[in-house]
């Protein structure tokens, strides 16, 4: 919008670019019988913590928090349908939350997270 600074608009471009990189990373291995588990992140924007919710948990999974430079900030393994992750010590900004399931037939999912 008109109120956006150049840095803000560049941040949006970076998020889209990195998001696209991670989304497409494993596409060649996707098959017809693979399925997607939708991930919900709330609250988003987050302040001290956020919860990741899954409607089903087909296998244990790894959650990775990635910054806009593509650096891995944290990795956590879980098999819970609701996982709460602290983010109070993270700098304000945009991040990618990436979920990779141990079950290879479930496609990885990525979602943007804003930390305020």
């Amino acid at each position: 919008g008109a109120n956006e600074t150049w840095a803000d608009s560049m941040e949006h471009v970076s998020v889209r670019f990195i998001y696209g990189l991670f989304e497409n990373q494993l596409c060649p291995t996707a098959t017809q019988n693979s399925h997607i588990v939708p991930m919900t992140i709330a609250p988003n924007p987050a302040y001290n913590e956020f919860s990741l919710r899954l409607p089903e948990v087909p296998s244990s999974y790894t959650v990775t928090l990635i910054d806009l430079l593509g650096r891995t900030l944290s990795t956590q393994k879980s098999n819970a349908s609701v996982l709460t992750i602290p983010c109070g010590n993270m700098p304000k900004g945009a991040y990618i939350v990436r979920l990779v399931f141990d079950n290879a037939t479930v496609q990885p999912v990525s979602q943007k997270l804003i930390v305020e």
Side-chain angles (χ1 to χ4, degrees), residues 8 14 19-20 27 30 40 43 68-69 76 78 83 87 89 101 106:
D8 287 339
S14 303
Y19 188 82
C27 278
T40 308
L68 292 186
L69 299 175
Q76 186 173 348
S78 180
L83 180 65
C87 62
N89 59 348
F101 292 90
V106 184

Side-chain angles (χ1 to χ4, degrees), residues 18-98:
I18 293 206
Y19 188 82
L21 283 182
F22 286 105
E23 277 299 282
N24 296 328
Q25 203 172 33
L26 295 176
C27 278
T29 61
T31 60
Q32 281 93 345
N33 57 9
S34 66
H35 80 281
I36 296 171
V37 175
M39 164 176 61
T40 308
I41 294 176
N44 193 0
Y47 296 90
N48 294 319
E49 63 183 26
F50 65 93
S51 292
L52 187 145
R53 295 175 191 279
L54 301 169
E56 57 172 306
V57 184
S59 74
S60 54
Y61 56 87
T62 303
V63 179
T64 308
L65 267 174
I66 302 157
D67 71 10
L68 292 186
L69 299 175
R71 295 179 300 203
T72 297
L73 303 179
S74 71
T75 302
Q76 186 173 348
K77 199 133 174 89
S78 180
N79 58 4
S81 61
V82 178
L83 180 65
T84 300
I85 300 174
C87 62
N89 59 348
M90 292 167 54
K92 290 181 181 183
Y95 298 88
I96 303 293
V97 179
R98 178 156 169 80

